[in-house]
Amino acid sequence: MEEIKFKSYCFSIGTTSYRTSQMNVSIERQLKLMNDFRNLPENANKSWRELQSEYYFYLHDNNFLEGNASRPDKDAREKTSGLYDIGLLNKERLLTEAGQALLELSINNDFKSDNILEISKDSYLYLKQLLKTSIEVDGETVRPFIVLTYLLSIFGYLSKEEFTYFLPMCINAESTNNVIKSIKLYRKGELDITTALYNLISSKDNYKKALQLFLNSENVTPELICTIGFNRKSKGEGKAYDTIFYKIYKILIDIYLNKKNKAVELFEAVNSVKGNTKLLWKKFFFGKNQLSNVKKLGLESLLANVFDKCSNADSLKNCFFMVMHSFKVQANLCDYADLNKRYFKLSDCVLFRDNKVEFDVLPKAYFNVIANDLYVIAFEKTNDLPNDVEIEKISPLFIKAKEMLYLELSNKLGVAIENGETAKQLVYNERYARFNSLVNSKFDKESLLTLIEQFEKRDDKKITSYITDNADIPTLFEYVLGIAWYRISEYKGDILNYMNLSLDADLLPKTHAGGGMADIVYKYNGNEIYPTHTVLIEATLSEKAGQRSMEIEPVTRHLGEYLANNEEETYSIFIPTYLNPNVVTDFRMRKDYPYLANNGNYVEGMKIIPLQTSELKTILHKDITYTNLYKLFDIAYNSQTNIKEWYNKTIIETLKY
């Protein structure tokens, strides 16, 4: 039987074999490792093909990955494919000009915004790379990010389903037009995902050929089903994967053409489907019905579906072919969606919230001005991908976008915006509105208490699942403490800047390889209770003896240097999940212990208040505000209680009452 080959029908950036968490820090670390690896004398004159396995082991030795890959060379290729796709590495896996620029930002920990879109320097570099990135799909060339800008200019937003199932199907102008028509019908409720995807793939030669072979075959065999399924695995694996569909096909004939009660057999068959399509098959036929209900209800347990209208073998074959391939496409697109999302999020221009995908305020106005004209290059490759070029070099249209940005913003928002300062204030206000909404919906008191308990137990999976996997656990701890203190401070103050964290467009934290900013610097304006002052909040997950060696020096140094260079009252709050008694002792001694700062100034004693997360939970649970805490901490600091009992008497017992 003639083999019918699978052909790609959608784009994806990178590879699903390397869907990494902490995307930013992972890229930055790997660029540094690759740069060091390629600069080793023994690697100087070797090709990438020769070095693949050695690079895998180099990553392993530098704690970049865990486990032992059965094929180190393949794993090395997978680890670097995405960085090659977006132009940070070349074919020989040497850093490109763009890769070197990003590495330099990381080494210098230089991420502050310096561009009209008010995004960090690394995000702006990623944006430029994504605008240039093109993917080859079955002989077609597509620039995914430019296609995204085009669809967002038409629709304003994409739903999560539209981003997952429709956007990646845009591989040329014709398919993009078909996708636009499909989205419009889908939004009207006149088209479902299964039918829409089949419509988008059924015109391709391999699908037409496979369907014709299926319809022309009087004798349907397992081999025929495997052939028309053109599974991409090896022949043995593909046959094992697709044979179950032959069984499903035979059962469907009995149910829909021969009117036999084989609902239980169908349930068991679809339950045997391998991979991500199993849930789609089960939901399609049975919804939420379980086996017990199917046994009880028989054919009545089946949901209404396209097979109900089948009156002969050909109509059933058409429906079976459509459902089988649509579900395979859906499963693949679900796999690719997370990958595409991770790369698009690198730009910090795209919001993923409330099951919608849309541009942030400034990028939306910026791209709306030129989206239609920019679409002209959506299916062209550029030679500038490896180069760190100005955005105007990617397209002169970005000159127009810059010139028209404030006018576009003014028209959209009904507010006069004439310069960068006004636009910056607009972005600030909009970010805070979104952040406060995020705090209210995702980080209410009960959620904060739950998260703090998870940090205490180091239930890292639950933490990253709830917040984001684009930041490490210490960064997430700082983020949660920052939000908790924002609540305690009655939602006053510029918390997004106080936290000293890099946040993505969705205002969730991300980790960089450089790091170096551990403090939450919270500033308070004076009132009748306290003077204008600053609090340095130090967060740590270190425990036991390690806490004493790791935290005492940086906490005292941060406070000492800050006091030596600033005139306002300042003190520190040290918040661990476990408070080492010797750390308490040391910090109390700092009250009368002078500190010599780098500028030569002496600091005559420091106020450091330790606060274990168990006490932070008490503060949150009892809705104690900072106004009351300031007084409590001041009394505790000036207390003459002996050091051994100081924390229990002045902090724990006071908070209880």
Side-chain angles (χ1 to χ4, degrees):
M1 191 176 293
E2 182 184 354
E3 181 183 2
I4 302 176
K5 292 185 178 180
F6 170 85
K7 295 180 181 179
S8 296
Y9 46 75
C10 67
F11 69 73
S12 69
I13 308 173
T15 171
T16 54
S17 300
Y18 183 52
R19 184 177 16 230
T20 182
S21 59
Q22 300 179 47
M23 193 78 161
N24 291 77
V25 69
S26 177
I27 291 174
E28 293 161 15
R29 281 197 64 205
Q30 192 170 182
L31 287 177
K32 176 69 165 59
L33 289 167
M34 179 62 83
N35 193 57
D36 293 345
F37 175 76
R38 291 302 253 143
N39 285 327
L40 292 174
E42 60 268 30
N43 296 334
N45 298 313
K46 291 183 179 178
S47 68
W48 170 238
R49 181 180 292 274
E50 295 174 282
L51 291 171
Q52 289 171 10
S53 293
E54 285 82 353
Y55 180 62
Y56 171 85
F57 293 116
Y58 185 79
L59 291 179
H60 202 287
D61 291 343
N62 283 276
N63 301 314
F64 185 81
L65 48 82
E66 297 177 353
N68 294 292
S70 57
R71 290 187 55 189
D73 57 337
K74 180 182 178 183
D75 203 75
R77 291 194 297 272
E78 290 171 348
K79 292 288 184 292
T80 58
S81 64
L83 304 190
Y84 169 69
D85 281 351
I86 63 174
L88 301 178
L89 299 176
N90 64 18
K91 284 186 177 180
E92 284 297 309
R93 299 315 190 249
L94 294 166
L95 270 67
T96 62
E97 183 182 7
Q100 288 286 357
L102 180 58
L103 178 59
E104 193 171 317
L105 291 177
S106 174
I107 291 172
N108 295 330
N109 199 27
D110 180 19
F111 301 113
K112 292 291 185 182
S113 173
D114 65 347
N115 53 79
I116 195 170
L117 294 179
E118 297 294 333
I119 57 178
S120 61
K121 288 181 182 178
D122 61 314
S123 297
Y124 191 64
L125 189 149
Y126 281 125
L127 171 63
K128 293 188 293 180
Q129 292 308 111
L130 288 167
L131 286 166
K132 294 180 289 179
T133 295
S134 61
I135 305 295
E136 301 297 319
V137 184
D138 191 27
E140 305 280 3
T141 297
V142 56
R143 295 201 209 179
F145 197 89
I146 292 181
V147 171
L148 175 66
T149 66
Y150 184 61
L151 292 189
L152 290 180
S153 72
I154 295 172
F155 295 107
Y157 72 91
L158 295 179
S159 68
K160 182 180 179 181
E161 290 75 18
E162 292 160 357
F163 177 84
T164 300
Y165 300 119
F166 292 124
L167 172 65
M169 302 296 282
C170 299
I171 59 173
N172 54 34
E174 181 184 2
S175 63
T176 303
N177 288 333
N178 289 334
V179 162
I180 291 169
K181 293 175 185 176
S182 297
I183 292 175
K184 290 178 179 178
L185 292 172
Y186 176 69
R187 291 192 176 186
K188 292 178 182 178
E190 297 175 7
L191 187 66
D192 61 84
I193 295 293
T194 300
T195 306
L197 290 178
Y198 185 67
N199 291 343
L200 292 169
I201 62 173
S202 59
S203 62
K204 297 183 179 295
D205 290 342
N206 56 334
Y207 285 95
K208 289 194 289 187
K209 188 175 181 180
L211 178 59
Q212 200 58 49
L213 174 64
F214 191 31
L215 293 173
N216 292 342
S217 300
E218 293 185 11
N219 183 27
V220 176
T221 64
E223 288 73 23
L224 175 64
I225 296 296
C226 288
T227 298
I228 66 168
F230 35 83
N231 194 285
R232 286 178 291 169
K233 300 178 184 291
S234 65
K235 290 183 178 180
E237 289 179 305
K239 185 173 181 180
Y241 183 92
D242 275 352
T243 299
I244 188 62
F245 297 121
Y246 170 75
K247 186 174 183 179
I248 292 173
Y249 170 74
K250 298 295 284 186
I251 294 172
L252 292 176
I253 288 178
D254 280 340
I255 291 176
Y256 291 99
L257 297 186
N258 300 329
K259 308 304 179 183
K260 293 182 180 180
N261 183 5
K262 289 197 173 182
V264 172
E265 288 87 339
L266 180 60
F267 186 93
E268 291 173 341
V270 298
N271 203 41
S272 299
V273 172
K274 296 181 179 179
N276 296 332
T277 59
K278 177 196 291 188
L279 293 177
L280 295 170
W281 281 95
K282 288 181 71 174
K283 183 178 180 181
F284 179 81
F285 284 114
F286 298 102
K288 295 182 179 179
N289 280 322
Q290 298 301 312
L291 182 58
S292 58
N293 282 344
V294 177
K295 288 179 178 179
K296 180 181 177 181
L297 300 173
L299 293 179
E300 292 182 8
S301 64
L302 293 170
L303 302 181
N305 61 70
V306 294
F307 290 97
D308 293 331
K309 297 180 180 179
C310 293
S311 57
N312 54 50
D314 280 356
S315 61
L316 191 136
K317 282 182 177 179
N318 271 297
C319 289
F320 177 79
F321 189 84
M322 177 188 75
V323 172
M324 178 176 70
H325 280 294
S326 291
F327 286 175
K328 285 187 175 186
V329 172
Q330 282 186 57
N332 283 336
L333 291 172
C334 280
D335 221 14
Y336 297 147
D338 179 66
L339 196 63
N340 292 330
K341 175 183 175 181
R342 289 176 188 273
Y343 280 97
F344 287 147
K345 277 179 73 70
L346 290 170
S347 70
D348 274 354
C349 289
V350 187
L351 304 176
F352 292 83
R353 56 175 183 168
D354 302 327
N355 289 318
K356 285 185 178 181
V357 181
E358 58 188 328
F359 276 130
D360 205 346
V361 176
L362 279 178
K364 184 175 184 177
Y366 187 71
F367 285 111
N368 274 354
V369 172
I370 61 171
N372 286 336
D373 295 328
L374 189 64
Y375 181 63
V376 173
I377 63 171
F379 308 107
E380 298 176 0
K381 190 172 183 177
T382 176
N383 293 324
D384 275 328
L385 179 61
N387 304 322
D388 181 27
V389 299
E390 295 298 324
I391 200 165
E392 293 82 4
K393 177 84 185 304
I394 298 171
S395 170
L397 289 169
F398 288 108
I399 299 174
K400 177 183 177 182
K402 184 176 181 179
E403 293 172 347
M404 298 290 291
L405 175 60
Y406 300 141
L407 178 61
E408 178 73 8
L409 270 176
S410 299
N411 292 336
K412 292 290 182 183
L413 301 175
V415 179
I417 301 170
E418 299 177 353
N419 54 53
E421 286 304 311
T422 308
K424 186 178 292 187
Q425 186 62 44
L426 172 78
V427 171
Y428 176 90
N429 294 339
E430 193 276 338
R431 276 166 59 88
Y432 262 91
R434 283 196 291 117
F435 182 71
N436 286 326
S437 177
L438 177 69
V439 169
N440 290 333
S441 62
K442 195 178 181 73
F443 298 104
D444 59 6
K445 181 168 74 172
E446 293 307 316
S447 299
L448 288 172
L449 289 169
T450 298
L451 283 165
I452 292 169
E453 286 180 2
Q454 290 168 351
F455 281 112
E456 290 171 343
K457 297 173 183 175
R458 285 309 299 263
D459 197 341
D460 296 358
K461 285 186 178 180
K462 285 185 179 179
I463 295 167
T464 55
S465 175
Y466 189 77
I467 307 176
T468 178
D469 67 356
N470 202 31
D472 59 26
I473 295 299
T475 300
L476 294 176
F477 186 50
E478 289 179 39
Y479 181 74
V480 168
L481 289 187
I483 293 174
W485 213 259
Y486 184 50
R487 178 185 180 85
I488 291 165
S489 301
E490 301 175 89
Y491 305 106
K492 296 174 183 176
D494 191 0
I495 183 60
L496 293 179
N497 284 323
Y498 295 169
M499 284 194 289
N500 282 333
L501 295 174
S502 289
L503 304 179
D504 64 20
D506 293 309
L507 303 177
L508 297 173
K510 56 185 179 180
T511 304
H512 290 296
M517 293 189 295
D519 296 331
I520 299 168
V521 181
Y522 216 112
K523 293 183 174 292
Y524 293 93
N525 293 321
N527 57 30
E528 66 278 7
I529 304 299
Y530 50 69
T532 297
H533 68 285
T534 300
V535 179
L536 306 187
I537 301 174
E538 300 275 2
T540 183
L541 294 169
S542 60
E543 297 183 350
K544 300 181 181 179
Q547 185 179 107
R548 190 166 187 270
S549 60
M550 293 171 61
E551 304 298 340
I552 289 176
E553 189 280 329
V555 170
T556 53
R557 172 168 45 82
H558 291 162
L559 179 57
E561 294 298 327
Y562 196 93
L563 286 166
N565 289 278
N566 296 275
E567 294 184 359
E568 77 267 17
E569 178 184 320
T570 303
Y571 71 98
S572 280
I573 299 174
F574 175 70
I575 307 180
T577 52
Y578 164 80
L579 187 55
N580 187 305
N582 286 314
V583 171
V584 177
T585 300
D586 191 284
F587 286 158
R588 279 300 285 165
M589 297 296 292
R590 301 285 166 170
K591 178 180 178 182
D592 303 309
Y593 191 85
Y595 175 86
L596 177 61
N598 290 332
N599 63 4
N601 291 339
Y602 263 104
V603 175
E604 298 295 337
M606 290 180 278
K607 178 179 177 180
I608 304 175
I609 304 295
L611 189 71
Q612 192 167 273
T613 50
S614 52
E615 281 63 72
L616 178 62
K617 288 189 294 185
T618 300
I619 293 167
L620 289 169
H621 182 73
K622 297 178 70 172
D623 293 319
I624 300 172
T625 64
Y626 180 72
T627 300
N628 292 317
L629 284 181
Y630 178 86
K631 292 185 289 186
L632 186 154
F633 291 158
D634 196 51
I635 292 170
Y637 174 69
N638 291 304
S639 169
Q640 298 301 313
T641 305
N642 69 74
I643 290 179
K644 186 177 180 181
E645 297 178 332
W646 178 82
Y647 187 74
N648 284 333
K649 293 286 187 182
T650 65
I651 303 294
I652 296 178
E653 292 184 11
T654 306
L655 285 173
K656 285 181 179 179
Y657 304 101

